[in-house]
Amino acid sequence: MKFIVCENYEEMSKAGAKIIADLLKSKPKCVLGLATGSTPVGMYEELRRMNKAGEITFKDVTTYNLDEYYPLAPDHDQSYRYFMNHNLFDHVDIDKSRTHVPNGLAEDPAAEGAAYDKAVEDAGNVDIQVLGVGQNGHIGFNEPEDALYVGTHLTSLTDNTIEANSRFFASKADVPTKAITMGMGTIMKARKILVLASGKNKHFVIENMLNDRITCHIPSTLLKTHPDVIVICDRAAFEG
Ligand code: F6R
Protein backbone atom coordinates (compact mmCIF):
# COMPACT_ATOMS: atom_id res chain seq x y z
CA MET A 1 0.00 0.00 0.00
CA LYS A 2 1.47 3.30 -1.09
CA PHE A 3 0.59 6.58 0.65
CA ILE A 4 0.76 10.01 -0.94
CA VAL A 5 0.17 12.89 1.46
CA CYS A 6 -0.95 16.13 -0.18
CA GLU A 7 -1.09 19.56 1.39
CA ASN A 8 -4.79 20.05 0.77
CA TYR A 9 -7.96 18.83 -0.97
CA GLU A 10 -7.14 20.50 -4.29
CA GLU A 11 -3.73 18.86 -4.49
CA MET A 12 -5.27 15.49 -3.54
CA SER A 13 -7.90 15.86 -6.26
CA LYS A 14 -5.31 16.69 -8.93
CA ALA A 15 -3.07 13.79 -7.89
CA GLY A 16 -6.06 11.42 -8.14
CA ALA A 17 -7.07 12.82 -11.53
CA LYS A 18 -3.52 12.36 -12.84
CA ILE A 19 -3.60 8.66 -12.01
CA ILE A 20 -6.90 8.23 -13.87
CA ALA A 21 -5.68 10.37 -16.78
CA ASP A 22 -2.51 8.29 -17.11
CA LEU A 23 -4.66 5.14 -17.35
CA LEU A 24 -6.94 6.72 -19.98
CA LYS A 25 -3.87 7.60 -22.06
CA SER A 26 -2.20 4.20 -21.76
CA LYS A 27 -5.41 2.15 -22.05
CA PRO A 28 -8.21 4.10 -23.75
CA LYS A 29 -10.62 1.13 -23.52
CA CYS A 30 -10.24 0.82 -19.75
CA VAL A 31 -12.80 -0.04 -17.10
CA LEU A 32 -13.11 2.44 -14.24
CA GLY A 33 -14.72 1.69 -10.90
CA LEU A 34 -16.14 4.93 -9.57
CA ALA A 35 -17.26 6.34 -6.22
CA THR A 36 -19.61 9.11 -5.20
CA GLY A 37 -19.68 11.19 -2.00
CA SER A 38 -17.99 14.54 -1.46
CA THR A 39 -14.38 13.30 -1.58
CA PRO A 40 -14.02 12.61 -5.36
CA VAL A 41 -15.93 15.74 -6.47
CA GLY A 42 -12.69 17.74 -6.96
CA MET A 43 -11.10 14.88 -8.89
CA TYR A 44 -14.11 14.67 -11.22
CA GLU A 45 -13.90 18.44 -11.71
CA GLU A 46 -10.24 18.13 -12.74
CA LEU A 47 -11.07 15.22 -15.09
CA ARG A 48 -13.81 17.36 -16.69
CA ARG A 49 -11.29 20.15 -17.19
CA MET A 50 -8.75 17.78 -18.76
CA ASN A 51 -11.41 16.34 -21.07
CA LYS A 52 -12.52 19.81 -22.16
CA ALA A 53 -8.91 20.80 -22.80
CA GLY A 54 -8.52 17.73 -25.04
CA GLU A 55 -5.93 16.16 -22.74
CA ILE A 56 -7.99 12.98 -22.17
CA THR A 57 -10.94 11.22 -23.73
CA PHE A 58 -13.55 8.95 -22.17
CA LYS A 59 -14.97 7.83 -25.49
CA ASP A 60 -14.03 4.15 -25.12
CA VAL A 61 -14.24 3.99 -21.32
CA THR A 62 -16.61 1.70 -19.39
CA THR A 63 -17.53 2.51 -15.80
CA TYR A 64 -19.06 0.66 -12.87
CA ASN A 65 -20.05 2.55 -9.77
CA LEU A 66 -19.66 1.12 -6.32
CA ASP A 67 -23.13 1.57 -4.98
CA GLU A 68 -26.61 3.06 -5.06
CA TYR A 69 -29.14 3.87 -2.36
CA TYR A 70 -32.10 1.48 -2.13
CA PRO A 71 -34.82 2.08 -2.95
CA LEU A 72 -34.10 5.22 -4.92
CA ALA A 73 -34.94 6.09 -8.53
CA PRO A 74 -32.05 7.04 -10.83
CA ASP A 75 -33.55 10.48 -11.45
CA HIS A 76 -33.83 11.28 -7.72
CA ASP A 77 -31.45 14.18 -7.09
CA GLN A 78 -29.71 12.27 -4.29
CA SER A 79 -29.27 9.06 -6.26
CA TYR A 80 -25.73 8.09 -7.13
CA ARG A 81 -26.71 7.81 -10.81
CA TYR A 82 -27.80 11.45 -10.67
CA PHE A 83 -24.56 12.35 -8.87
CA MET A 84 -22.42 10.70 -11.54
CA ASN A 85 -24.32 12.31 -14.42
CA HIS A 86 -24.10 15.69 -12.74
CA ASN A 87 -20.44 15.50 -11.65
CA LEU A 88 -18.91 13.69 -14.61
CA PHE A 89 -20.89 11.85 -17.28
CA ASP A 90 -22.96 14.81 -18.54
CA HIS A 91 -19.80 16.88 -19.05
CA VAL A 92 -17.37 14.51 -20.78
CA ASP A 93 -17.31 12.57 -24.05
CA ILE A 94 -18.33 9.27 -22.46
CA ASP A 95 -20.86 6.91 -24.05
CA LYS A 96 -23.46 6.85 -21.27
CA SER A 97 -24.64 3.39 -22.28
CA ARG A 98 -21.29 2.13 -21.00
CA THR A 99 -21.74 3.75 -17.56
CA HIS A 100 -23.22 1.51 -14.86
CA VAL A 101 -24.65 2.16 -11.42
CA PRO A 102 -26.49 -0.56 -9.46
CA ASN A 103 -30.24 -0.32 -9.98
CA GLY A 104 -31.67 1.27 -6.84
CA LEU A 105 -35.14 0.09 -7.80
CA ALA A 106 -34.26 -3.56 -8.51
CA GLU A 107 -37.17 -5.83 -7.59
CA ASP A 108 -34.76 -8.63 -6.78
CA PRO A 109 -31.63 -7.04 -5.27
CA ALA A 110 -29.85 -10.41 -4.97
CA ALA A 111 -30.30 -11.02 -8.71
CA GLU A 112 -29.24 -7.43 -9.42
CA GLY A 113 -26.08 -7.97 -7.35
CA ALA A 114 -25.17 -11.21 -9.11
CA ALA A 115 -25.81 -9.67 -12.54
CA TYR A 116 -23.72 -6.62 -11.64
CA ASP A 117 -20.75 -8.77 -10.61
CA LYS A 118 -21.06 -10.81 -13.79
CA ALA A 119 -21.16 -7.65 -15.89
CA VAL A 120 -17.98 -6.36 -14.21
CA GLU A 121 -16.29 -9.67 -14.89
CA ASP A 122 -17.53 -9.82 -18.49
CA ALA A 123 -16.12 -6.33 -19.02
CA GLY A 124 -12.70 -7.70 -18.06
CA ASN A 125 -12.76 -6.43 -14.46
CA VAL A 126 -11.98 -2.96 -13.20
CA ASP A 127 -8.60 -1.40 -14.06
CA ILE A 128 -8.72 1.29 -11.38
CA GLN A 129 -11.28 1.33 -8.59
CA VAL A 130 -11.74 4.74 -6.97
CA LEU A 131 -12.76 4.62 -3.31
CA GLY A 132 -13.69 7.16 -0.70
CA VAL A 133 -13.86 5.93 2.89
CA GLY A 134 -16.52 6.34 5.54
CA GLN A 135 -15.51 7.74 8.92
CA ASN A 136 -16.03 4.21 10.23
CA GLY A 137 -13.85 2.69 7.51
CA HIS A 138 -16.64 1.54 5.21
CA ILE A 139 -15.75 1.18 1.54
CA GLY A 140 -18.60 1.19 -0.91
CA PHE A 141 -21.32 0.51 1.64
CA ASN A 142 -19.53 -2.42 3.22
CA GLU A 143 -20.15 -1.31 6.77
CA PRO A 144 -18.24 -2.62 9.83
CA GLU A 145 -19.57 -6.10 10.65
CA ASP A 146 -18.32 -9.43 12.01
CA ALA A 147 -18.34 -10.82 8.47
CA LEU A 148 -18.34 -8.99 5.16
CA TYR A 149 -19.88 -9.96 1.82
CA VAL A 150 -17.90 -11.02 -1.23
CA GLY A 151 -20.31 -10.00 -3.97
CA THR A 152 -22.60 -7.07 -4.77
CA HIS A 153 -25.52 -7.16 -2.34
CA LEU A 154 -28.25 -5.25 -0.56
CA THR A 155 -27.07 -3.87 2.78
CA SER A 156 -28.29 -1.75 5.67
CA LEU A 157 -26.51 1.50 6.42
CA THR A 158 -25.23 2.13 9.94
CA ASP A 159 -26.60 5.01 11.95
CA ASN A 160 -23.16 6.66 11.69
CA THR A 161 -23.35 6.58 7.86
CA ILE A 162 -26.97 7.77 7.78
CA GLU A 163 -25.97 10.65 10.05
CA ALA A 164 -22.89 11.50 7.93
CA ASN A 165 -24.92 11.43 4.69
CA SER A 166 -27.88 13.38 6.08
CA ARG A 167 -26.04 16.55 5.06
CA PHE A 168 -27.17 15.89 1.49
CA PHE A 169 -30.86 15.35 2.38
CA ALA A 170 -33.56 17.60 3.84
CA SER A 171 -33.44 15.61 7.07
CA LYS A 172 -31.92 12.46 8.52
CA ALA A 173 -35.29 10.73 8.15
CA ASP A 174 -35.04 11.20 4.36
CA VAL A 175 -31.77 9.25 4.04
CA PRO A 176 -32.44 5.75 2.67
CA THR A 177 -31.46 3.10 5.22
CA LYS A 178 -30.35 0.59 2.61
CA ALA A 179 -28.07 0.43 -0.42
CA ILE A 180 -26.89 -1.98 -3.08
CA THR A 181 -23.11 -2.10 -2.92
CA MET A 182 -20.25 -3.95 -4.54
CA GLY A 183 -18.94 -6.49 -2.05
CA MET A 184 -15.37 -6.73 -0.79
CA GLY A 185 -14.59 -9.41 -3.36
CA THR A 186 -15.89 -7.25 -6.22
CA ILE A 187 -13.74 -4.35 -5.02
CA MET A 188 -10.65 -6.49 -4.48
CA LYS A 189 -10.80 -7.83 -8.03
CA ALA A 190 -9.81 -4.42 -9.36
CA ARG A 191 -6.27 -4.41 -10.72
CA LYS A 192 -5.49 -1.16 -8.94
CA ILE A 193 -7.29 0.67 -6.14
CA LEU A 194 -7.13 4.42 -5.61
CA VAL A 195 -8.30 5.56 -2.18
CA LEU A 196 -9.00 9.24 -1.57
CA ALA A 197 -9.39 10.65 1.93
CA SER A 198 -9.65 14.25 3.01
CA GLY A 199 -10.16 15.97 6.34
CA LYS A 200 -9.59 15.33 10.00
CA ASN A 201 -12.64 13.07 10.33
CA LYS A 202 -10.91 10.47 8.10
CA HIS A 203 -7.81 10.32 10.34
CA PHE A 204 -9.12 7.26 12.22
CA VAL A 205 -9.34 5.38 8.93
CA ILE A 206 -5.92 6.47 7.67
CA GLU A 207 -4.34 5.61 11.01
CA ASN A 208 -5.82 2.11 10.81
CA MET A 209 -4.65 1.65 7.24
CA LEU A 210 -1.09 2.47 8.26
CA ASN A 211 -0.72 -0.27 10.88
CA ASP A 212 -0.24 -3.98 10.15
CA ARG A 213 -3.65 -5.33 11.17
CA ILE A 214 -6.86 -6.07 9.33
CA THR A 215 -10.39 -6.30 10.70
CA CYS A 216 -13.90 -6.54 9.24
CA HIS A 217 -14.83 -3.89 11.79
CA ILE A 218 -12.81 -1.36 9.75
CA PRO A 219 -13.44 -2.67 6.20
CA SER A 220 -10.84 -0.36 4.59
CA THR A 221 -8.09 -2.27 6.45
CA LEU A 222 -8.77 -5.29 4.20
CA LEU A 223 -7.27 -3.29 1.34
CA LYS A 224 -3.87 -4.06 2.89
CA THR A 225 -4.14 -7.52 1.35
CA HIS A 226 -4.46 -6.07 -2.18
CA PRO A 227 -1.22 -5.89 -4.19
CA ASP A 228 -1.71 -2.44 -5.74
CA VAL A 229 -3.36 0.24 -3.60
CA ILE A 230 -2.54 3.95 -3.63
CA VAL A 231 -3.96 6.06 -0.83
CA ILE A 232 -3.96 9.77 -1.57
CA CYS A 233 -4.91 11.86 1.42
CA ASP A 234 -4.49 15.40 2.58
CA ARG A 235 -2.46 16.45 5.60
CA ALA A 236 -5.57 16.82 7.77
CA ALA A 237 -6.54 13.18 7.19
CA PHE A 238 -2.95 12.02 7.66
CA GLU A 239 -2.15 13.95 10.83
CA GLY A 240 -5.59 14.29 12.38
C1 F6R B 1 -19.70 6.37 -2.25
C2 F6R B 1 -19.27 5.37 -1.30
C3 F6R B 1 -18.95 5.70 0.11
C4 F6R B 1 -18.20 7.03 0.27
C5 F6R B 1 -17.92 7.29 1.74
C6 F6R B 1 -17.22 8.62 1.96
O1 F6R B 1 -19.93 5.80 -3.52
O2 F6R B 1 -19.23 4.22 -1.64
O3 F6R B 1 -18.16 4.66 0.65
O4 F6R B 1 -17.01 6.97 -0.45
O5 F6R B 1 -19.12 7.29 2.47
O6 F6R B 1 -18.08 9.65 1.62
P1 F6R B 1 -17.59 11.16 1.56
O7 F6R B 1 -16.63 11.24 0.43
O8 F6R B 1 -18.82 11.97 1.30
O9 F6R B 1 -16.94 11.45 2.87
Side-chain angles (χ1 to χ4, degrees), residues 13 17 33-37 40-49 65 83-84 87-88 92 130:
S13 302
L34 298 176
T36 61
V41 167
M43 183 182 78
Y44 292 145
E45 195 182 326
E46 175 65 3
L47 288 171
R48 289 192 326 247
R49 186 201 64 72
N65 262 76
F83 174 102
M84 287 313 303
N87 281 282
L88 189 66
V92 295
V130 177

PDB file of all heavy atoms in Angstrom, residues 13 17 33-37 40-49 65 83-84 87-88 92 130:
ATOM      1  N   SER A  13      -7.010  16.074  -5.112  1.00  0.00           N
ATOM      2  CA  SER A  13      -7.903  15.856  -6.262  1.00  0.00           C
ATOM      3  C   SER A  13      -7.107  15.788  -7.559  1.00  0.00           C
ATOM      4  O   SER A  13      -7.377  14.949  -8.434  1.00  0.00           O
ATOM      5  CB  SER A  13      -8.928  16.991  -6.351  1.00  0.00           C
ATOM      6  OG  SER A  13      -9.660  17.060  -5.158  1.00  0.00           O
ATOM      7  N   ALA A  17      -6.691  12.664 -10.119  1.00  0.00           N
ATOM      8  CA  ALA A  17      -7.068  12.822 -11.531  1.00  0.00           C
ATOM      9  C   ALA A  17      -5.912  12.414 -12.434  1.00  0.00           C
ATOM     10  O   ALA A  17      -6.119  11.821 -13.503  1.00  0.00           O
ATOM     11  CB  ALA A  17      -7.483  14.265 -11.803  1.00  0.00           C
ATOM     12  N   GLY A  33     -13.774   1.883 -11.994  1.00  0.00           N
ATOM     13  CA  GLY A  33     -14.717   1.691 -10.898  1.00  0.00           C
ATOM     14  C   GLY A  33     -14.819   3.031 -10.195  1.00  0.00           C
ATOM     15  O   GLY A  33     -13.792   3.609  -9.810  1.00  0.00           O
ATOM     16  N   LEU A  34     -16.018   3.553 -10.062  1.00  0.00           N
ATOM     17  CA  LEU A  34     -16.143   4.927  -9.568  1.00  0.00           C
ATOM     18  C   LEU A  34     -16.912   5.018  -8.252  1.00  0.00           C
ATOM     19  O   LEU A  34     -17.734   4.157  -7.928  1.00  0.00           O
ATOM     20  CB  LEU A  34     -16.809   5.797 -10.630  1.00  0.00           C
ATOM     21  CG  LEU A  34     -16.026   5.904 -11.943  1.00  0.00           C
ATOM     22  CD1 LEU A  34     -16.807   6.696 -12.976  1.00  0.00           C
ATOM     23  CD2 LEU A  34     -14.648   6.539 -11.726  1.00  0.00           C
ATOM     24  N   ALA A  35     -16.625   6.090  -7.515  1.00  0.00           N
ATOM     25  CA  ALA A  35     -17.261   6.336  -6.223  1.00  0.00           C
ATOM     26  C   ALA A  35     -17.988   7.669  -6.251  1.00  0.00           C
ATOM     27  O   ALA A  35     -17.675   8.541  -7.068  1.00  0.00           O
ATOM     28  CB  ALA A  35     -16.187   6.360  -5.136  1.00  0.00           C
ATOM     29  N   THR A  36     -18.928   7.823  -5.344  1.00  0.00           N
ATOM     30  CA  THR A  36     -19.609   9.114  -5.196  1.00  0.00           C
ATOM     31  C   THR A  36     -19.181   9.715  -3.848  1.00  0.00           C
ATOM     32  O   THR A  36     -18.105   9.420  -3.361  1.00  0.00           O
ATOM     33  CB  THR A  36     -21.138   8.929  -5.280  1.00  0.00           C
ATOM     34  OG1 THR A  36     -21.516   8.055  -4.207  1.00  0.00           O
ATOM     35  CG2 THR A  36     -21.553   8.312  -6.602  1.00  0.00           C
ATOM     36  N   GLY A  37     -20.034  10.537  -3.255  1.00  0.00           N
ATOM     37  CA  GLY A  37     -19.676  11.189  -1.996  1.00  0.00           C
ATOM     38  C   GLY A  37     -18.930  12.481  -2.269  1.00  0.00           C
ATOM     39  O   GLY A  37     -18.611  12.795  -3.420  1.00  0.00           O
ATOM     40  N   PRO A  40     -14.541  12.580  -3.975  1.00  0.00           N
ATOM     41  CA  PRO A  40     -14.020  12.614  -5.360  1.00  0.00           C
ATOM     42  C   PRO A  40     -14.527  13.773  -6.221  1.00  0.00           C
ATOM     43  O   PRO A  40     -14.149  13.862  -7.396  1.00  0.00           O
ATOM     44  CB  PRO A  40     -14.489  11.266  -5.934  1.00  0.00           C
ATOM     45  CG  PRO A  40     -15.682  10.885  -5.148  1.00  0.00           C
ATOM     46  CD  PRO A  40     -15.571  11.533  -3.806  1.00  0.00           C
ATOM     47  N   VAL A  41     -15.347  14.663  -5.650  1.00  0.00           N
ATOM     48  CA  VAL A  41     -15.928  15.742  -6.470  1.00  0.00           C
ATOM     49  C   VAL A  41     -14.833  16.583  -7.155  1.00  0.00           C
ATOM     50  O   VAL A  41     -14.915  16.883  -8.354  1.00  0.00           O
ATOM     51  CB  VAL A  41     -16.870  16.631  -5.608  1.00  0.00           C
ATOM     52  CG1 VAL A  41     -17.231  17.916  -6.331  1.00  0.00           C
ATOM     53  CG2 VAL A  41     -18.132  15.856  -5.240  1.00  0.00           C
ATOM     54  N   GLY A  42     -13.786  16.931  -6.414  1.00  0.00           N
ATOM     55  CA  GLY A  42     -12.690  17.741  -6.965  1.00  0.00           C
ATOM     56  C   GLY A  42     -11.931  16.989  -8.049  1.00  0.00           C
ATOM     57  O   GLY A  42     -11.486  17.579  -9.041  1.00  0.00           O
ATOM     58  N   MET A  43     -11.795  15.684  -7.872  1.00  0.00           N
ATOM     59  CA  MET A  43     -11.099  14.882  -8.887  1.00  0.00           C
ATOM     60  C   MET A  43     -11.931  14.839 -10.176  1.00  0.00           C
ATOM     61  O   MET A  43     -11.399  14.981 -11.275  1.00  0.00           O
ATOM     62  CB  MET A  43     -10.866  13.460  -8.370  1.00  0.00           C
ATOM     63  CG  MET A  43     -10.090  12.619  -9.354  1.00  0.00           C
ATOM     64  SD  MET A  43      -9.853  10.935  -8.783  1.00  0.00           S
ATOM     65  CE  MET A  43     -11.459  10.236  -9.132  1.00  0.00           C
ATOM     66  N   TYR A  44     -13.254  14.684 -10.030  1.00  0.00           N
ATOM     67  CA  TYR A  44     -14.115  14.672 -11.218  1.00  0.00           C
ATOM     68  C   TYR A  44     -14.069  16.036 -11.923  1.00  0.00           C
ATOM     69  O   TYR A  44     -14.097  16.109 -13.147  1.00  0.00           O
ATOM     70  CB  TYR A  44     -15.557  14.298 -10.847  1.00  0.00           C
ATOM     71  CG  TYR A  44     -15.702  12.853 -10.376  1.00  0.00           C
ATOM     72  CD1 TYR A  44     -16.608  12.490  -9.382  1.00  0.00           C
ATOM     73  CD2 TYR A  44     -14.913  11.843 -10.920  1.00  0.00           C
ATOM     74  CE1 TYR A  44     -16.731  11.169  -8.951  1.00  0.00           C
ATOM     75  CE2 TYR A  44     -15.015  10.529 -10.505  1.00  0.00           C
ATOM     76  CZ  TYR A  44     -15.924  10.199  -9.517  1.00  0.00           C
ATOM     77  OH  TYR A  44     -16.027   8.899  -9.102  1.00  0.00           O
ATOM     78  N   GLU A  45     -13.969  17.094 -11.133  1.00  0.00           N
ATOM     79  CA  GLU A  45     -13.897  18.441 -11.705  1.00  0.00           C
ATOM     80  C   GLU A  45     -12.621  18.568 -12.556  1.00  0.00           C
ATOM     81  O   GLU A  45     -12.654  19.085 -13.676  1.00  0.00           O
ATOM     82  CB  GLU A  45     -13.881  19.439 -10.538  1.00  0.00           C
ATOM     83  CG  GLU A  45     -14.163  20.869 -10.932  1.00  0.00           C
ATOM     84  CD  GLU A  45     -14.075  21.778  -9.715  1.00  0.00           C
ATOM     85  OE1 GLU A  45     -14.430  21.356  -8.578  1.00  0.00           O
ATOM     86  OE2 GLU A  45     -13.621  22.917  -9.904  1.00  0.00           O
ATOM     87  N   GLU A  46     -11.518  18.073 -12.014  1.00  0.00           N
ATOM     88  CA  GLU A  46     -10.239  18.129 -12.741  1.00  0.00           C
ATOM     89  C   GLU A  46     -10.301  17.252 -14.010  1.00  0.00           C
ATOM     90  O   GLU A  46      -9.798  17.637 -15.062  1.00  0.00           O
ATOM     91  CB  GLU A  46      -9.105  17.689 -11.802  1.00  0.00           C
ATOM     92  CG  GLU A  46      -7.734  17.575 -12.427  1.00  0.00           C
ATOM     93  CD  GLU A  46      -7.129  18.892 -12.922  1.00  0.00           C
ATOM     94  OE1 GLU A  46      -7.750  19.967 -12.746  1.00  0.00           O
ATOM     95  OE2 GLU A  46      -6.036  18.845 -13.524  1.00  0.00           O
ATOM     96  N   LEU A  47     -10.944  16.097 -13.914  1.00  0.00           N
ATOM     97  CA  LEU A  47     -11.066  15.219 -15.095  1.00  0.00           C
ATOM     98  C   LEU A  47     -11.927  15.892 -16.173  1.00  0.00           C
ATOM     99  O   LEU A  47     -11.650  15.769 -17.369  1.00  0.00           O
ATOM    100  CB  LEU A  47     -11.659  13.861 -14.697  1.00  0.00           C
ATOM    101  CG  LEU A  47     -10.721  12.947 -13.891  1.00  0.00           C
ATOM    102  CD1 LEU A  47     -11.484  11.731 -13.353  1.00  0.00           C
ATOM    103  CD2 LEU A  47      -9.521  12.490 -14.731  1.00  0.00           C
ATOM    104  N   ARG A  48     -12.961  16.623 -15.731  1.00  0.00           N
ATOM    105  CA  ARG A  48     -13.811  17.362 -16.692  1.00  0.00           C
ATOM    106  C   ARG A  48     -12.972  18.416 -17.403  1.00  0.00           C
ATOM    107  O   ARG A  48     -13.058  18.599 -18.609  1.00  0.00           O
ATOM    108  CB  ARG A  48     -14.971  18.047 -15.963  1.00  0.00           C
ATOM    109  CG  ARG A  48     -15.992  17.082 -15.455  1.00  0.00           C
ATOM    110  CD  ARG A  48     -17.283  17.728 -14.979  1.00  0.00           C
ATOM    111  NE  ARG A  48     -17.222  19.015 -14.353  1.00  0.00           N
ATOM    112  CZ  ARG A  48     -17.505  19.252 -13.068  1.00  0.00           C
ATOM    113  NH1 ARG A  48     -17.827  18.263 -12.264  1.00  0.00           N
ATOM    114  NH2 ARG A  48     -17.486  20.471 -12.597  1.00  0.00           N
ATOM    115  N   ARG A  49     -12.136  19.109 -16.610  1.00  0.00           N
ATOM    116  CA  ARG A  49     -11.289  20.149 -17.192  1.00  0.00           C
ATOM    117  C   ARG A  49     -10.328  19.548 -18.226  1.00  0.00           C
ATOM    118  O   ARG A  49     -10.186  20.056 -19.343  1.00  0.00           O
ATOM    119  CB  ARG A  49     -10.503  20.860 -16.069  1.00  0.00           C
ATOM    120  CG  ARG A  49      -9.700  22.063 -16.564  1.00  0.00           C
ATOM    121  CD  ARG A  49      -8.579  22.465 -15.645  1.00  0.00           C
ATOM    122  NE  ARG A  49      -7.531  21.476 -15.494  1.00  0.00           N
ATOM    123  CZ  ARG A  49      -6.629  21.143 -16.409  1.00  0.00           C
ATOM    124  NH1 ARG A  49      -6.632  21.734 -17.591  1.00  0.00           N
ATOM    125  NH2 ARG A  49      -5.707  20.206 -16.171  1.00  0.00           N
ATOM    126  N   ASN A  65     -20.074   1.890 -11.069  1.00  0.00           N
ATOM    127  CA  ASN A  65     -20.046   2.549  -9.767  1.00  0.00           C
ATOM    128  C   ASN A  65     -20.175   1.554  -8.631  1.00  0.00           C
ATOM    129  O   ASN A  65     -20.711   0.462  -8.787  1.00  0.00           O
ATOM    130  CB  ASN A  65     -21.155   3.604  -9.679  1.00  0.00           C
ATOM    131  CG  ASN A  65     -20.610   4.976  -9.960  1.00  0.00           C
ATOM    132  OD1 ASN A  65     -20.367   5.293 -11.127  1.00  0.00           O
ATOM    133  ND2 ASN A  65     -20.378   5.761  -8.925  1.00  0.00           N
ATOM    134  N   PHE A  83     -25.842  11.769  -9.269  1.00  0.00           N
ATOM    135  CA  PHE A  83     -24.557  12.349  -8.868  1.00  0.00           C
ATOM    136  C   PHE A  83     -23.522  12.179  -9.992  1.00  0.00           C
ATOM    137  O   PHE A  83     -22.803  13.113 -10.346  1.00  0.00           O
ATOM    138  CB  PHE A  83     -24.058  11.665  -7.587  1.00  0.00           C
ATOM    139  CG  PHE A  83     -22.667  12.071  -7.155  1.00  0.00           C
ATOM    140  CD1 PHE A  83     -22.481  12.975  -6.113  1.00  0.00           C
ATOM    141  CD2 PHE A  83     -21.537  11.541  -7.774  1.00  0.00           C
ATOM    142  CE1 PHE A  83     -21.197  13.344  -5.711  1.00  0.00           C
ATOM    143  CE2 PHE A  83     -20.256  11.908  -7.386  1.00  0.00           C
ATOM    144  CZ  PHE A  83     -20.084  12.813  -6.352  1.00  0.00           C
ATOM    145  N   MET A  84     -23.435  10.965 -10.520  1.00  0.00           N
ATOM    146  CA  MET A  84     -22.420  10.696 -11.542  1.00  0.00           C
ATOM    147  C   MET A  84     -22.692  11.474 -12.823  1.00  0.00           C
ATOM    148  O   MET A  84     -21.769  12.002 -13.439  1.00  0.00           O
ATOM    149  CB  MET A  84     -22.341   9.192 -11.847  1.00  0.00           C
ATOM    150  CG  MET A  84     -21.701   8.354 -10.765  1.00  0.00           C
ATOM    151  SD  MET A  84     -20.125   8.969 -10.085  1.00  0.00           S
ATOM    152  CE  MET A  84     -19.098   9.089 -11.553  1.00  0.00           C
ATOM    153  N   ASN A  87     -21.841  15.170 -11.937  1.00  0.00           N
ATOM    154  CA  ASN A  87     -20.440  15.496 -11.654  1.00  0.00           C
ATOM    155  C   ASN A  87     -19.468  15.097 -12.745  1.00  0.00           C
ATOM    156  O   ASN A  87     -18.371  15.627 -12.817  1.00  0.00           O
ATOM    157  CB  ASN A  87     -19.993  14.854 -10.338  1.00  0.00           C
ATOM    158  CG  ASN A  87     -20.484  15.636  -9.149  1.00  0.00           C
ATOM    159  OD1 ASN A  87     -19.925  16.673  -8.799  1.00  0.00           O
ATOM    160  ND2 ASN A  87     -21.561  15.161  -8.545  1.00  0.00           N
ATOM    161  N   LEU A  88     -19.869  14.125 -13.580  1.00  0.00           N
ATOM    162  CA  LEU A  88     -18.912  13.689 -14.609  1.00  0.00           C
ATOM    163  C   LEU A  88     -19.554  13.390 -15.964  1.00  0.00           C
ATOM    164  O   LEU A  88     -19.241  14.044 -16.955  1.00  0.00           O
ATOM    165  CB  LEU A  88     -18.147  12.443 -14.103  1.00  0.00           C
ATOM    166  CG  LEU A  88     -16.980  11.991 -14.971  1.00  0.00           C
ATOM    167  CD1 LEU A  88     -15.854  13.027 -14.977  1.00  0.00           C
ATOM    168  CD2 LEU A  88     -16.427  10.641 -14.501  1.00  0.00           C
ATOM    169  N   VAL A  92     -18.521  15.054 -20.039  1.00  0.00           N
ATOM    170  CA  VAL A  92     -17.369  14.507 -20.775  1.00  0.00           C
ATOM    171  C   VAL A  92     -17.869  13.667 -21.958  1.00  0.00           C
ATOM    172  O   VAL A  92     -19.067  13.394 -22.068  1.00  0.00           O
ATOM    173  CB  VAL A  92     -16.454  13.655 -19.845  1.00  0.00           C
ATOM    174  CG1 VAL A  92     -15.818  14.521 -18.768  1.00  0.00           C
ATOM    175  CG2 VAL A  92     -17.214  12.483 -19.230  1.00  0.00           C
ATOM    176  N   VAL A 130     -11.837   3.565  -7.843  1.00  0.00           N
ATOM    177  CA  VAL A 130     -11.735   4.740  -6.973  1.00  0.00           C
ATOM    178  C   VAL A 130     -12.579   4.482  -5.725  1.00  0.00           C
ATOM    179  O   VAL A 130     -13.722   4.031  -5.825  1.00  0.00           O
ATOM    180  CB  VAL A 130     -12.275   6.005  -7.692  1.00  0.00           C
ATOM    181  CG1 VAL A 130     -12.242   7.211  -6.756  1.00  0.00           C
ATOM    182  CG2 VAL A 130     -11.500   6.274  -8.971  1.00  0.00           C
TER     183      VAL A 130
END
